[in-house]
Amino acid sequence: MFERRQRTVARGLSHVLPVFISAAGGGVLIDVDGNSLIDFGSGIAVTSVGNSAELVVSRVTEQVAQFTHTCFMVAPYEGYVEVCEQLNRLTPGDHDKRSALFNSGAEAVENAVKIARHATGRDAIVVFDHAYHGRTNLTMAMTAKNMPYKEGFGPFAGEVYRMPMAYPFRWPGGPARCAQEALSVITSLIHAQVGEENVAAVVIEPVQGEGGFIVPPDGFLPGLAAYCRESGIVFIADEVQSGFCRTGDWFACDHEGVVPDLVATAKGIAGGLPLAGVTGRAELMDSVHPGGLGGTYGGNPVACAAALGAIDTMEKEDLPAAARAIEAAMLPRLTKLAQTVPAIGDVRGRGAMLALELVRPGTLEPDAAAAAKVSRACHSAGMIVLTCGTYGNVLRLLPPLVIGESLLSEGIGILEEAFARL
Ligand code: PLZ
């Protein structure tokens, strides 16, 4: 199969593991050779409700037999409206909201930017160091890391301005001063280099994903949101990776009661089917003329049925609490591990979005080779872990929220053993 893949599929698509999957569920992937792999990746934070979750399967099966596509812009259907109702209800804030549905996280982020520009009549977009927003032209411009995402793919969209991220582990003045100092640097840079009156939107992942699972210090996001409000800037939360129970709240912004003007969602929303959304203040969303937003497949009826099944599962099984329980089970063991392994410079994250940042002992120098070595050791021992980070030196742990205690514990054991052999 791998040989066939090499002959037919473009080289630009890489793999974490050279396996082909034939079945998955309950936090385990089974490959075509019959190997079982503990899943600490969830298909990059997608299968939070598990693979083939019961309510996803039943809703999708029913829908796929009824009709597969009409295009919401041609002939609407109830599932789309129901998903928008759920998004309006579940996203932070109880103000009047509207939603629109798309196919991917990148598409949701692009549309959030379109809406913010249209509503404000301004052009500039502010993003952050270590940000990841997607692989389309605009979202590549918004993404920080060159290799592999941007290398050779320019020219990139203009009017995108990058600011320092409040990154406690690497903040020069130390974690305690990170929030205040970052806010002051960011607001003065925006004033001096862009002019707040030109800024349509500030776009931020409330917990950064691909860039290294960077959790901003308390006070940073509320401060940034308040600054945006005072300056007439649309505050956009990219909750594509952090949203839908992953961090122990419905959305990562909920942790500090931050209410974004627009929220981009995808990944966990539909139990593995492709669906994304933009949800936000009715007056911003509705500033766009009819026909200004859309797409052939956005909010496809089968994907909407999957989302309704996934959201139902999250509520019935209280998956925010499940994510907090995963944190409670994992964090003490990871912290203990860090005390015995000098290469672990930082343990961070929330809920079931946890990470270890690896450095040369006693320094801040990133050690990508160590991260690669540990992840390879986990892979050979039958567990999927992913790396991330601008410097490629962060191991990230993203189990499905329904993984269950014993499998979770077995997975952490594999990680501990991999570190013991580092
Ligand atoms: N915003 C915060 O995490 C997707 C990228 C995988 P799409 N992250 C996984 C890869 O290498 O392509 C992501 C994200 C945040 C936007 C996106 C983009 O979502 O559904 O991949 O377009």
Side-chain angles (χ1 to χ4, degrees):
M1 281 184 192
F2 215 80
E3 261 171 41
R4 263 164 68 204
R5 178 256 179 261
Q6 304 285 61
R7 283 198 303 272
T8 51
V9 181
R11 201 171 64 116
L13 289 128
S14 62
H15 312 283
V16 173
L17 281 165
V19 296
F20 278 78
I21 297 306
S22 58
V28 175
L29 305 186
I30 314 245
D31 79 359
V32 290
D33 300 318
N35 298 305
S36 295
L37 297 154
I38 299 179
D39 185 10
F40 270 26
S42 298
I44 322 188
V46 171
T47 50
S48 300
V49 295
N51 252 291
S52 304
E54 214 176 299
L55 294 176
V56 172
V57 173
S58 59
R59 295 247 194 177
V60 163
T61 310
E62 207 177 298
Q63 179 59 48
V64 81
Q66 254 155 10
F67 62 95
T68 49
H69 175 83
T70 62
C71 183
F72 191 71
M73 302 180 304
V74 174
Y77 38 87
E78 192 181 0
Y80 190 113
V81 178
E82 256 183 280
V83 172
C84 292
E85 284 167 353
Q86 298 287 24
L87 280 167
N88 297 352
R89 178 174 69 86
L90 293 166
T91 51
D94 43 22
H95 49 283
D96 195 19
K97 295 175 202 158
R98 300 285 184 274
S99 289
L101 303 180
F102 304 97
N103 301 295
S104 69
E107 213 191 337
V109 172
E110 283 228 29
N111 276 278
V113 168
K114 278 168 68 173
I115 293 162
R117 282 179 167 158
H118 199 277
T120 57
R122 303 173 178 185
D123 291 336
I125 302 299
V126 167
V127 294
F128 293 85
D129 285 337
H130 313 289
Y132 183 91
H133 297 292
R135 293 178 184 264
T136 60
N137 187 264
L138 174 61
T139 57
M140 270 194 295
M142 295 168 69
T143 289
K145 189 174 176 174
N146 179 53
M147 198 63 181
Y149 307 122
K150 302 167 79 162
E151 174 66 28
F153 296 140
F156 303 111
E159 286 305 312
V160 174
Y161 299 88
R162 191 170 310 284
M163 297 292 147
M165 177 62 188
Y167 186 168
F169 179 60
R170 292 184 178 279
W171 192 259
R177 289 161 61 177
C178 178
Q180 274 322 309
E181 289 185 1
L183 283 170
S184 126
V185 172
I186 291 161
T187 52
S188 78
L189 281 175
I190 293 177
H191 182 72
Q193 297 184 4
V194 197
E196 35 289 275
E197 70 280 9
N198 299 315
V199 179
V202 165
V203 187
I204 190 161
E205 301 154 78
V207 174
Q208 285 185 320
E210 305 305 305
F213 278 32
I214 298 162
V215 187
D218 282 355
F220 177 72
L221 290 173
L224 193 63
Y227 162 76
C228 288
R229 207 157 40 240
E230 286 154 22
S231 315
I233 298 171
V234 177
F235 183 79
I236 301 177
D238 177 346
E239 291 253 19
V240 165
Q241 187 153 172
S242 58
F244 282 103
C245 315
R246 178 52 58 184
T247 61
D249 290 291
W250 275 89
F251 294 91
C253 280
D254 292 328
H255 184 65
E256 288 187 272
V258 170
V259 179
D261 298 307
L262 300 177
V263 185
T265 51
K267 288 191 185 279
I269 189 177
L273 272 80
L275 188 72
V278 179
T279 303
R281 296 191 182 282
E283 65 278 15
L284 296 176
M285 296 294 294
D286 283 345
S287 77
V288 178
H289 47 276
L293 302 174
T296 305
Y297 292 115
N300 166 274
V302 182
C304 284
L308 294 170
I311 291 168
D312 206 3
T313 308
M314 292 177 210
E315 293 204 292
K316 284 200 172 109
E317 298 189 16
D318 194 1
L319 292 193
R324 292 193 295 272
I326 289 173
E327 176 184 327
M330 289 184 87
L331 208 50
R333 281 175 74 177
L334 297 178
T335 309
K336 196 159 159 234
L337 187 62
Q339 283 157 5
T340 61
V341 180
I344 301 177
D346 195 23
V347 179
R348 58 174 178 258
R350 276 209 309 270
M353 188 170 183
L354 300 173
L356 303 171
E357 175 157 3
L358 305 191
V359 292
R360 293 203 193 285
T363 74
L364 288 181
E365 205 187 318
D367 195 346
K373 198 172 168 204
V374 172
S375 73
R376 269 198 310 273
C378 291
H379 299 163
S380 349
M383 181 169 81
I384 297 183
V385 289
L386 308 173
T387 56
C388 65
T390 299
Y391 317 109
N393 64 326
V394 180
L395 280 166
R396 55 170 153 175
L397 310 170
L398 287 166
L401 306 182
V402 296
I403 187 164
E405 247 171 89
S406 69
L407 208 51
L408 190 69
S409 177
E410 192 181 336
I412 309 168
I414 290 175
L415 189 68
E416 288 163 345
E417 270 169 46
F419 270 105
R421 286 198 304 272
L422 180 65

